[in-house]
Amino acid sequence: MTIPFLDLKPLYGEIRTELDAAYREVMESGWYILGSQVAAFEKEYAAYCGAGHCVGVGNGLEALELCLYAFDIGPGDEVIVPSNTYIATWLAVSAVGAMPVPVEPDPRTYNIDPDRIEAAITPRTRAIMPVHLYGQPADMDPIMAIAGKHGLKVIEDCAQAQGALYKGRPVGALGHAAGVSFFPTKNLGAFGDAGAITTNDATVADRIKVRRNYGSRVKYYNENKGINSRLDEMQAAFLRVKLRHLDRWNEQRRQRAAEYTQLLQKIAGVQAPHVPQWAAPVWHLYVVQAKDRKAMTDRLDRAGIGWMVHYPLPPHRQQAYAELNISKGELPLAEDMADHVISLPMYPQLASADVAAVASALAQA
Ligand SMILES: *Cc1c(COP(=O)(O)O)cnc(C)c1O
Protein backbone atom coordinates (compact mmCIF):
# COMPACT_ATOMS: atom_id res chain seq x y z
CA MET A 1 0.00 0.00 0.00
CA THR A 2 1.64 3.29 -1.03
CA ILE A 3 -0.88 5.55 0.74
CA PRO A 4 -2.71 3.83 3.61
CA PHE A 5 -6.27 4.84 4.42
CA LEU A 6 -5.19 5.53 8.00
CA ASP A 7 -1.96 5.05 9.90
CA LEU A 8 -1.90 5.75 13.65
CA LYS A 9 1.78 4.95 14.17
CA PRO A 10 3.30 8.29 13.01
CA LEU A 11 1.12 10.10 15.52
CA TYR A 12 2.44 7.91 18.31
CA GLY A 13 5.99 8.64 17.17
CA GLU A 14 5.32 12.37 17.30
CA ILE A 15 4.34 12.40 20.98
CA ARG A 16 6.08 9.28 22.31
CA THR A 17 8.09 11.12 24.98
CA GLU A 18 4.97 12.78 26.41
CA LEU A 19 3.03 9.51 26.35
CA ASP A 20 5.89 7.64 28.03
CA ALA A 21 5.95 10.24 30.80
CA ALA A 22 2.16 9.96 31.24
CA TYR A 23 2.44 6.17 31.40
CA ARG A 24 5.13 6.33 34.10
CA GLU A 25 3.17 8.88 36.12
CA VAL A 26 0.08 6.65 36.21
CA MET A 27 2.04 3.46 36.89
CA GLU A 28 3.93 5.05 39.75
CA SER A 29 0.78 6.58 41.24
CA GLY A 30 -0.52 3.11 42.10
CA TRP A 31 -4.08 4.32 41.36
CA TYR A 32 -5.72 3.13 38.15
CA ILE A 33 -9.49 3.79 38.13
CA LEU A 34 -11.31 7.10 38.78
CA GLY A 35 -8.46 9.16 40.14
CA SER A 36 -6.69 12.43 39.56
CA GLN A 37 -6.01 11.84 35.84
CA VAL A 38 -9.71 11.28 35.07
CA ALA A 39 -10.70 14.30 37.18
CA ALA A 40 -8.12 16.48 35.40
CA PHE A 41 -9.11 15.26 31.96
CA GLU A 42 -12.79 15.87 32.70
CA LYS A 43 -11.97 19.44 33.68
CA GLU A 44 -9.78 20.04 30.64
CA TYR A 45 -12.16 18.48 28.13
CA ALA A 46 -15.16 20.37 29.55
CA ALA A 47 -13.20 23.61 29.15
CA TYR A 48 -12.18 22.62 25.61
CA CYS A 49 -15.86 22.16 24.65
CA GLY A 50 -17.02 25.20 26.60
CA ALA A 51 -19.22 22.88 28.67
CA GLY A 52 -19.89 23.17 32.38
CA HIS A 53 -19.30 19.46 33.02
CA CYS A 54 -17.58 16.41 31.57
CA VAL A 55 -17.93 12.82 32.79
CA GLY A 56 -15.49 10.21 31.53
CA VAL A 57 -16.96 6.80 30.69
CA GLY A 58 -16.00 3.50 29.09
CA ASN A 59 -16.80 4.23 25.43
CA GLY A 60 -18.88 6.34 23.07
CA LEU A 61 -21.88 4.03 22.84
CA GLU A 62 -22.31 4.05 26.62
CA ALA A 63 -21.78 7.83 26.68
CA LEU A 64 -24.82 8.27 24.40
CA GLU A 65 -26.80 5.67 26.31
CA LEU A 66 -26.05 7.44 29.62
CA CYS A 67 -27.27 10.77 28.18
CA LEU A 68 -30.61 9.16 27.31
CA TYR A 69 -30.77 7.56 30.76
CA ALA A 70 -30.10 10.93 32.41
CA PHE A 71 -33.23 12.32 30.73
CA ASP A 72 -35.30 9.28 31.75
CA ILE A 73 -35.78 8.20 28.16
CA GLY A 74 -36.76 4.55 27.87
CA PRO A 75 -39.40 2.06 26.75
CA GLY A 76 -42.32 3.66 24.88
CA ASP A 77 -40.25 6.72 23.92
CA GLU A 78 -39.07 7.71 20.47
CA VAL A 79 -35.77 9.39 19.63
CA ILE A 80 -35.05 11.05 16.29
CA VAL A 81 -31.76 9.92 14.75
CA PRO A 82 -30.09 10.42 11.36
CA SER A 83 -30.90 7.73 8.78
CA ASN A 84 -27.24 7.76 7.67
CA THR A 85 -25.12 7.43 10.78
CA TYR A 86 -22.84 4.86 12.31
CA ILE A 87 -25.16 2.31 13.91
CA ALA A 88 -23.95 3.18 17.45
CA THR A 89 -26.26 6.23 17.45
CA TRP A 90 -29.25 3.92 16.94
CA LEU A 91 -27.93 1.24 19.29
CA ALA A 92 -27.74 3.75 22.16
CA VAL A 93 -31.46 4.46 21.70
CA SER A 94 -32.26 0.75 21.57
CA ALA A 95 -30.09 0.07 24.61
CA VAL A 96 -32.38 2.17 26.84
CA GLY A 97 -35.45 0.47 25.35
CA ALA A 98 -36.55 3.45 23.24
CA MET A 99 -37.24 3.47 19.51
CA PRO A 100 -34.95 5.13 16.95
CA VAL A 101 -36.90 7.17 14.38
CA PRO A 102 -34.77 7.94 11.32
CA VAL A 103 -34.71 11.31 9.55
CA GLU A 104 -32.96 11.78 6.22
CA PRO A 105 -29.86 13.96 5.66
CA ASP A 106 -29.08 16.96 3.51
CA PRO A 107 -27.10 14.96 0.91
CA ARG A 108 -24.65 17.83 0.35
CA THR A 109 -23.47 18.05 3.98
CA TYR A 110 -24.36 14.45 4.99
CA ASN A 111 -25.94 15.79 8.20
CA ILE A 112 -29.53 15.43 9.43
CA ASP A 113 -31.82 17.81 7.51
CA PRO A 114 -33.58 20.07 10.07
CA ASP A 115 -36.42 20.69 7.59
CA ARG A 116 -37.38 17.02 7.77
CA ILE A 117 -37.42 16.68 11.56
CA GLU A 118 -40.87 18.03 12.45
CA ALA A 119 -42.62 15.51 10.21
CA ALA A 120 -41.08 12.71 12.31
CA ILE A 121 -42.24 14.06 15.69
CA THR A 122 -45.05 12.16 17.42
CA PRO A 123 -46.52 12.41 20.95
CA ARG A 124 -43.92 9.78 21.97
CA THR A 125 -40.89 11.74 20.75
CA ARG A 126 -38.59 12.71 23.62
CA ALA A 127 -35.28 13.66 22.02
CA ILE A 128 -33.33 14.45 18.87
CA MET A 129 -29.83 13.01 18.44
CA PRO A 130 -27.98 14.93 15.74
CA VAL A 131 -24.64 13.44 14.71
CA HIS A 132 -21.80 15.73 13.60
CA LEU A 133 -21.02 13.21 10.90
CA TYR A 134 -17.51 12.83 9.48
CA GLY A 135 -16.45 15.80 11.67
CA GLN A 136 -18.82 18.41 10.23
CA PRO A 137 -21.22 20.09 12.69
CA ALA A 138 -24.93 19.52 12.15
CA ASP A 139 -27.10 22.64 11.75
CA MET A 140 -27.83 23.05 15.46
CA ASP A 141 -29.78 26.34 15.63
CA PRO A 142 -32.88 25.07 13.77
CA ILE A 143 -32.62 21.74 15.61
CA MET A 144 -32.63 23.53 18.99
CA ALA A 145 -35.55 25.71 17.87
CA ILE A 146 -37.62 22.64 16.92
CA ALA A 147 -36.67 20.94 20.19
CA GLY A 148 -37.69 24.03 22.16
CA LYS A 149 -41.03 24.24 20.39
CA HIS A 150 -41.85 20.57 21.09
CA GLY A 151 -40.21 20.22 24.52
CA LEU A 152 -37.57 17.76 23.34
CA LYS A 153 -34.01 17.13 24.55
CA VAL A 154 -31.12 17.40 22.12
CA ILE A 155 -28.25 14.95 22.57
CA GLU A 156 -25.28 15.58 20.28
CA ASP A 157 -23.32 12.59 18.99
CA CYS A 158 -19.83 14.16 18.93
CA ALA A 159 -17.93 10.90 18.32
CA GLN A 160 -16.50 12.12 15.00
CA ALA A 161 -16.18 15.82 15.71
CA GLN A 162 -13.86 16.69 18.63
CA GLY A 163 -12.93 20.34 18.07
CA ALA A 164 -15.45 21.13 15.31
CA LEU A 165 -17.05 24.57 15.49
CA TYR A 166 -20.64 25.58 14.74
CA LYS A 167 -20.91 29.36 14.22
CA GLY A 168 -17.67 29.68 16.17
CA ARG A 169 -18.85 27.55 19.10
CA PRO A 170 -17.40 24.10 19.82
CA VAL A 171 -19.66 21.07 19.51
CA GLY A 172 -20.40 19.27 22.77
CA ALA A 173 -22.18 22.13 24.53
CA LEU A 174 -24.68 23.12 21.86
CA GLY A 175 -27.48 20.77 22.96
CA HIS A 176 -28.67 19.54 26.37
CA ALA A 177 -26.00 16.86 26.58
CA ALA A 178 -23.43 15.27 24.28
CA GLY A 179 -21.79 11.87 24.00
CA VAL A 180 -18.29 11.52 22.62
CA SER A 181 -16.11 8.54 21.77
CA PHE A 182 -12.35 8.36 22.12
CA PHE A 183 -12.02 5.17 20.09
CA PRO A 184 -8.42 5.11 18.78
CA THR A 185 -9.27 6.24 15.24
CA LYS A 186 -11.29 9.30 16.28
CA ASN A 187 -9.70 12.77 16.03
CA LEU A 188 -9.06 12.63 19.78
CA GLY A 189 -8.43 8.93 20.28
CA ALA A 190 -7.30 6.93 23.29
CA PHE A 191 -5.16 3.77 23.10
CA GLY A 192 -8.12 1.57 23.87
CA ASP A 193 -11.82 2.22 24.48
CA ALA A 194 -12.91 5.47 26.12
CA GLY A 195 -15.72 8.01 25.99
CA ALA A 196 -17.27 10.97 27.78
CA ILE A 197 -20.38 13.06 28.27
CA THR A 198 -20.31 16.86 28.14
CA THR A 199 -23.21 18.99 29.34
CA ASN A 200 -24.09 22.31 30.96
CA ASP A 201 -26.69 20.54 33.08
CA ALA A 202 -25.31 19.77 36.57
CA THR A 203 -28.11 17.29 37.31
CA VAL A 204 -27.37 15.30 34.15
CA ALA A 205 -23.65 15.19 34.98
CA ASP A 206 -24.38 14.07 38.52
CA ARG A 207 -26.81 11.31 37.47
CA ILE A 208 -24.27 9.95 35.01
CA LYS A 209 -21.40 10.09 37.53
CA VAL A 210 -23.41 7.93 39.92
CA ARG A 211 -24.64 5.52 37.24
CA ARG A 212 -21.22 4.92 35.64
CA ASN A 213 -19.92 3.64 38.97
CA TYR A 214 -22.49 1.03 40.12
CA GLY A 215 -25.04 3.64 41.17
CA SER A 216 -22.71 4.62 43.96
CA ARG A 217 -21.65 8.03 45.22
CA VAL A 218 -20.03 6.78 48.42
CA LYS A 219 -18.04 3.54 48.15
CA TYR A 220 -20.14 0.46 49.07
CA TYR A 221 -23.35 2.52 49.33
CA ASN A 222 -25.54 2.21 46.23
CA GLU A 223 -28.32 4.67 45.46
CA ASN A 224 -29.52 2.76 42.42
CA LYS A 225 -28.69 -0.16 40.12
CA GLY A 226 -25.88 1.38 38.13
CA ILE A 227 -23.44 0.00 35.62
CA ASN A 228 -19.67 -0.09 35.26
CA SER A 229 -18.65 2.35 32.53
CA ARG A 230 -15.55 4.13 33.76
CA LEU A 231 -12.75 5.93 32.00
CA ASP A 232 -9.50 4.58 33.40
CA GLU A 233 -6.53 6.61 34.62
CA MET A 234 -4.15 5.44 31.89
CA GLN A 235 -6.47 6.40 29.03
CA ALA A 236 -7.28 9.71 30.74
CA ALA A 237 -3.56 10.49 31.08
CA PHE A 238 -2.99 9.68 27.38
CA LEU A 239 -6.02 11.74 26.36
CA ARG A 240 -4.70 14.73 28.33
CA VAL A 241 -1.48 14.55 26.32
CA LYS A 242 -3.32 14.27 23.01
CA LEU A 243 -5.81 17.03 23.83
CA ARG A 244 -2.88 19.47 23.91
CA HIS A 245 -2.16 18.63 20.25
CA LEU A 246 -5.72 18.30 18.97
CA ASP A 247 -6.17 21.78 17.51
CA ARG A 248 -2.90 21.52 15.59
CA TRP A 249 -3.84 18.07 14.23
CA ASN A 250 -7.30 19.27 13.27
CA GLU A 251 -5.71 22.21 11.46
CA GLN A 252 -3.51 19.79 9.49
CA ARG A 253 -6.62 17.84 8.51
CA ARG A 254 -8.29 21.09 7.43
CA GLN A 255 -5.39 21.90 5.14
CA ARG A 256 -5.48 18.46 3.52
CA ALA A 257 -9.27 18.69 3.15
CA ALA A 258 -8.98 22.08 1.44
CA GLU A 259 -6.44 20.59 -0.99
CA TYR A 260 -8.71 17.63 -1.75
CA THR A 261 -11.70 19.88 -2.35
CA GLN A 262 -9.75 22.15 -4.69
CA LEU A 263 -8.32 19.27 -6.73
CA LEU A 264 -11.60 17.36 -6.92
CA GLN A 265 -13.43 20.32 -8.45
CA LYS A 266 -11.77 19.52 -11.76
CA ILE A 267 -12.64 15.83 -11.71
CA ALA A 268 -15.85 14.62 -13.32
CA GLY A 269 -18.01 12.02 -11.59
CA VAL A 270 -16.91 12.79 -8.04
CA GLN A 271 -18.42 15.30 -5.66
CA ALA A 272 -16.55 16.86 -2.72
CA PRO A 273 -18.41 17.45 0.56
CA HIS A 274 -20.15 20.81 0.89
CA VAL A 275 -19.18 22.94 3.89
CA PRO A 276 -21.74 25.56 4.96
CA GLN A 277 -20.34 29.01 5.74
CA TRP A 278 -20.97 28.60 9.47
CA ALA A 279 -19.20 25.25 9.79
CA ALA A 280 -15.60 24.59 10.78
CA PRO A 281 -15.35 20.79 10.37
CA VAL A 282 -12.49 18.69 11.71
CA TRP A 283 -12.50 16.11 8.91
CA HIS A 284 -12.61 12.91 10.90
CA LEU A 285 -13.28 11.47 7.45
CA TYR A 286 -13.06 13.05 4.02
CA VAL A 287 -16.03 11.56 2.21
CA VAL A 288 -16.81 12.10 -1.47
CA GLN A 289 -19.69 10.84 -3.55
CA ALA A 290 -18.87 9.04 -6.79
CA LYS A 291 -21.25 8.43 -9.67
CA ASP A 292 -19.47 5.17 -10.47
CA ARG A 293 -17.94 4.07 -7.18
CA LYS A 294 -16.59 0.79 -8.52
CA ALA A 295 -14.56 2.53 -11.24
CA MET A 296 -13.09 4.95 -8.70
CA THR A 297 -12.21 2.38 -6.07
CA ASP A 298 -10.71 0.01 -8.67
CA ARG A 299 -8.41 2.83 -9.74
CA LEU A 300 -7.48 3.57 -6.11
CA ASP A 301 -6.74 -0.11 -5.57
CA ARG A 302 -4.46 -0.21 -8.61
CA ALA A 303 -2.61 2.88 -7.34
CA GLY A 304 -2.12 1.31 -3.90
CA ILE A 305 -4.31 3.90 -2.20
CA GLY A 306 -6.42 2.95 0.80
CA TRP A 307 -10.13 3.82 0.92
CA MET A 308 -13.20 2.82 2.90
CA VAL A 309 -16.97 3.16 2.78
CA HIS A 310 -18.70 4.84 5.74
CA TYR A 311 -21.10 3.12 5.72
CA PRO A 312 -22.02 0.39 3.23
CA LEU A 313 -25.41 -0.44 4.78
CA PRO A 314 -27.59 2.10 6.63
CA PRO A 315 -28.88 1.04 10.06
CA HIS A 316 -32.45 0.49 8.82
CA ARG A 317 -31.18 -2.08 6.29
CA GLN A 318 -29.18 -4.01 8.91
CA GLN A 319 -30.43 -7.35 10.14
CA ALA A 320 -30.19 -5.84 13.65
CA TYR A 321 -33.11 -3.53 12.77
CA ALA A 322 -35.23 -5.95 10.74
CA GLU A 323 -37.92 -5.52 13.44
CA LEU A 324 -38.56 -1.94 12.26
CA ASN A 325 -39.77 -3.26 8.90
CA ILE A 326 -38.43 -0.29 6.98
CA SER A 327 -38.25 -1.53 3.42
CA LYS A 328 -35.72 -0.65 0.76
CA GLY A 329 -36.56 2.69 -0.83
CA GLU A 330 -38.22 4.20 2.23
CA LEU A 331 -35.10 6.16 3.16
CA PRO A 332 -33.70 6.78 -0.32
CA LEU A 333 -31.14 9.45 0.63
CA ALA A 334 -29.38 7.25 3.19
CA GLU A 335 -29.46 4.34 0.74
CA ASP A 336 -28.10 6.47 -2.09
CA MET A 337 -25.24 7.65 0.10
CA ALA A 338 -24.41 4.10 1.13
CA ASP A 339 -24.11 3.24 -2.58
CA HIS A 340 -21.95 6.20 -3.60
CA VAL A 341 -19.73 7.42 -0.75
CA ILE A 342 -15.98 6.84 -0.63
CA SER A 343 -13.79 7.88 2.29
CA LEU A 344 -10.34 8.98 1.09
CA PRO A 345 -7.14 8.82 3.19
CA MET A 346 -7.24 11.46 5.94
CA TYR A 347 -5.06 11.96 9.02
CA PRO A 348 -2.89 14.81 10.32
CA GLN A 349 0.37 13.29 9.03
CA LEU A 350 -0.97 12.80 5.49
CA ALA A 351 1.27 14.74 3.06
CA SER A 352 0.09 17.25 0.44
CA ALA A 353 1.79 15.06 -2.15
CA ASP A 354 -0.38 12.13 -1.01
CA VAL A 355 -3.53 14.19 -1.51
CA ALA A 356 -2.34 15.08 -5.01
CA ALA A 357 -1.64 11.41 -5.76
CA VAL A 358 -5.14 10.38 -4.61
CA ALA A 359 -6.73 13.10 -6.75
CA SER A 360 -4.70 12.10 -9.77
CA ALA A 361 -5.75 8.46 -9.38
CA LEU A 362 -9.42 9.54 -9.22
CA ALA A 363 -8.92 11.73 -12.29
CA GLN A 364 -7.73 8.66 -14.23
CA ALA A 365 -10.80 6.61 -13.35
C1 LIG B 1 -17.44 5.75 17.01
C2 LIG B 1 -18.84 6.23 17.08
C3 LIG B 1 -19.68 5.94 18.17
C4 LIG B 1 -19.36 4.95 19.24
O1 LIG B 1 -18.18 5.04 19.87
P1 LIG B 1 -17.50 3.77 20.61
O2 LIG B 1 -16.50 4.42 21.48
O3 LIG B 1 -16.91 2.93 19.54
O4 LIG B 1 -18.54 3.06 21.37
C5 LIG B 1 -20.93 6.53 18.20
N1 LIG B 1 -21.35 7.34 17.22
C6 LIG B 1 -20.60 7.61 16.14
C7 LIG B 1 -21.15 8.51 15.07
C8 LIG B 1 -19.33 7.06 16.03
O5 LIG B 1 -18.58 7.32 14.94
Side-chain angles (χ1 to χ4, degrees):
M1 187 75 65
T2 48
I3 304 172
F5 174 71
L6 174 65
D7 187 0
L8 294 173
K9 278 185 304 235
L11 189 143
Y12 167 57
E14 230 180 70
I15 56 169
R16 183 192 305 242
T17 343
E18 287 171 84
L19 292 171
D20 287 352
Y23 165 82
R24 268 196 308 277
E25 194 180 328
V26 172
M27 289 309 270
E28 283 166 16
S29 77
W31 190 278
Y32 307 114
I33 294 282
L34 293 186
S36 60
Q37 294 291 342
V38 169
F41 175 71
E42 289 174 340
K43 217 169 142 206
E44 289 158 12
Y45 194 69
Y48 182 80
C49 299
H53 311 270
C54 171
V55 185
V57 297
N59 56 66
L61 173 60
E62 286 169 353
L64 295 169
E65 203 181 314
L66 285 161
C67 290
L68 293 160
Y69 156 86
F71 294 123
D72 283 317
I73 295 169
D77 295 333
E78 292 177 5
V79 176
I80 290 173
V81 292
S83 56
N84 62 316
T85 179
Y86 180 52
I87 197 167
T89 317
W90 289 44
L91 290 175
V93 176
S94 302
V96 298
M99 164 108 109
V101 175
V103 165
E104 290 262 77
D106 173 343
R108 294 182 320 148
T109 63
Y110 309 127
N111 273 322
I112 193 166
D113 184 348
D115 290 340
R116 295 171 183 270
I117 291 177
E118 275 192 299
I121 295 175
T122 75
R124 291 168 178 255
T125 310
R126 296 283 318 281
I128 307 170
M129 284 179 88
V131 178
H132 307 302
L133 196 68
Y134 309 146
Q136 169 141 292
D139 193 359
M140 291 299 290
D141 281 350
I143 294 172
M144 292 308 289
I146 295 163
K149 186 172 148 198
H150 296 270
L152 309 177
K153 297 296 179 191
V154 174
I155 298 165
E156 298 171 78
D157 182 339
C158 295
Q160 303 190 355
Q162 297 94 341
L165 303 177
Y166 174 73
K167 301 186 180 175
R169 291 176 292 152
V171 302
L174 303 171
H176 300 100
V180 61
S181 163
F182 304 121
F183 184 78
T185 61
K186 312 286 186 184
N187 288 38
L188 177 60
F191 296 88
D193 275 313
I197 290 96
T198 51
T199 180
N200 284 318
D201 186 330
T203 311
V204 164
D206 183 66
R207 289 198 76 185
I208 293 174
K209 269 194 171 165
V210 172
R211 182 159 175 88
R212 77 171 167 186
N213 191 26
Y214 299 120
S216 166
R217 199 184 298 272
V218 178
K219 204 168 173 64
Y220 304 131
Y221 291 85
N222 302 71
E223 291 176 21
N224 55 49
K225 301 181 197 71
I227 60 171
N228 175 356
S229 182
R230 299 178 298 217
L231 177 61
D232 64 71
E233 288 285 286
M234 195 65 85
Q235 297 305 340
F238 291 150
L239 285 166
R240 291 181 71 199
V241 168
K242 290 184 80 178
L243 182 59
R244 298 199 283 267
H245 298 273
L246 181 60
D247 284 340
R248 179 172 56 84
W249 287 329
N250 281 343
E251 196 45 48
Q252 288 170 325
R253 288 175 185 263
R254 286 190 177 119
Q255 282 169 20
R256 297 296 88 76
E259 291 163 10
Y260 267 133
T261 300
Q262 214 218 331
L263 293 168
L264 294 181
Q265 269 166 12
K266 297 168 209 136
I267 302 172
V270 53
Q271 195 194 317
H274 170 74
V275 179
Q277 230 182 332
W278 40 256
V282 290
W283 306 103
H284 171 58
L285 297 168
Y286 188 88
V287 179
V288 301
Q289 290 175 84
K291 234 183 229 134
D292 183 350
R293 181 164 68 192
K294 182 82 170 56
M296 295 277 175
T297 55
D298 282 353
R299 195 71 200 77
L300 292 173
D301 285 342
R302 278 209 298 283
I305 293 165
W307 55 272
M308 287 187 80
V309 170
H310 297 92
Y311 301 89
L313 195 62
H316 71 278
R317 300 297 301 148
Q318 301 280 353
Q319 191 187 332
Y321 281 105
E323 81 225 24
L324 295 181
N325 277 315
I326 305 176
S327 42
K328 200 165 167 66
E330 269 187 65
L331 295 168
L333 297 178
E335 288 168 15
D336 186 74
M337 282 185 55
D339 290 341
H340 294 100
V341 291
I342 310 173
S343 305
L344 302 178
M346 174 54 80
Y347 35 94
Q349 294 76 16
L350 187 73
S352 290
D354 295 336
V355 171
V358 175
S360 113
L362 292 174
Q364 288 162 33

